[in-house]
Amino acid sequence: MIRRGRTIVLAIALALIAVVAGCTPDKALDFGPTGEISTPPEDQLSRDIMRDFDGRDFILAANDHEAHVSLTDWKPGRRIVMPYWLGVNPLYPGFLRPTVGHLYVISQSTLVRPLPNNEYLIRAGSKLFKADTVFEATHTHYTDTGGMLPTVVRFVGTRVITVPKDAPATGTITEKVPVLREVSTPMHTTSDQDLTGYAKFEAVK
């Protein structure tokens, strides 16, 4: 209990220091230098996930802290544990800086607008902090905006983009954003699930 209390106090202190210093989450979380990669992952597990989940939907277990994923044809109990993109409610996102080339599950993301070449501007992250992000769709084509079902993605780098500001603001904004490349298709759903508010999509032909 004492150790846990000290941890909480330390976290709060760090957050206060960040606020006083003017270090807001959007400034603290630097996604790295501009550029994108296309090389395969270095570790075997990530390469296996890239292969097995490529273009397939998956089952996501109910866990808010880490993504427990499995394919629909796997035996019961078999699963892979993956991190969520930007974690869950990060108190200070600078400590949770993603690693280029690693795989993540995006959850609670919102599709803002389409971009050229079947790419989309999305807002992806935790309940506390979401960042403008380029989503490179390889298997799906979204036909409207709204929420996005959880999807396995790969963080492939950063890009500088210029996009329109959200209404009612006018003009454009230029920003450096992370780029997430689609690996799986969106999470498997059943007919009894309420998908109101989620963006509709179709398979890329």
Side-chain angles (χ1 to χ4, degrees):
M1 290 293 292
I2 294 176
R3 186 174 300 173
R4 182 180 300 175
R6 288 176 178 171
T7 301
I8 294 173
V9 170
L10 177 60
I12 294 174
L14 288 172
L16 290 175
I17 291 172
V19 171
V20 172
C23 189
T24 56
D26 58 319
K27 295 178 181 178
L29 189 56
D30 184 355
F31 293 97
T34 304
E36 300 176 39
I37 65 171
S38 58
T39 53
E42 295 181 358
D43 63 288
Q44 186 61 49
L45 177 59
S46 294
R47 292 197 295 270
D48 291 344
I49 295 173
M50 292 276 292
R51 180 196 64 225
D52 296 341
F53 284 71
D54 182 37
R56 301 184 62 184
D57 63 1
F58 62 97
I59 298 172
L60 178 63
N63 189 304
D64 289 339
H65 299 285
E66 54 191 9
H68 293 207
V69 300
S70 58
L71 294 173
T72 54
D73 59 353
W74 282 2
K75 294 181 179 179
R78 181 185 176 188
R79 65 185 181 185
I80 293 175
V81 178
M82 300 177 60
Y84 285 112
W85 174 250
L86 301 188
V88 177
N89 289 338
L91 181 63
Y92 189 70
F95 290 127
L96 301 174
R97 184 172 290 114
T99 302
V100 174
H102 285 200
L103 301 176
Y104 299 88
V105 173
I106 56 169
S107 180
Q108 303 178 0
S109 300
T110 302
L111 193 150
V112 179
R113 60 174 51 89
L115 301 173
N117 302 318
N118 203 36
E119 296 181 347
Y120 304 87
L121 177 67
I122 70 173
R123 299 217 165 96
S126 68
K127 293 179 181 178
L128 179 65
F129 175 68
K130 298 182 187 295
D132 280 1
T133 303
V134 168
F135 178 73
E136 295 183 351
T138 55
H139 304 296
T140 53
H141 173 71
Y142 285 85
T143 57
D144 62 359
T145 59
M148 298 176 68
L149 290 169
T151 305
V152 178
V153 296
R154 188 183 186 205
F155 175 35
V156 295
T158 63
R159 185 188 305 176
V160 175
I161 61 172
T162 300
V163 293
K165 294 181 179 179
D166 293 346
T170 58
T172 61
I173 180 173
T174 299
E175 55 185 347
K176 185 176 73 171
V177 299
V179 180
L180 299 180
R181 186 169 297 150
E182 184 180 45
V183 174
S184 72
T185 54
M187 181 188 76
H188 178 76
T189 59
T190 57
S191 57
D192 61 338
Q193 288 181 276
D194 182 9
L195 299 180
T196 303
Y198 282 90
K200 295 181 177 62
F201 61 89
E202 57 191 13
V204 172
K205 298 180 181 179

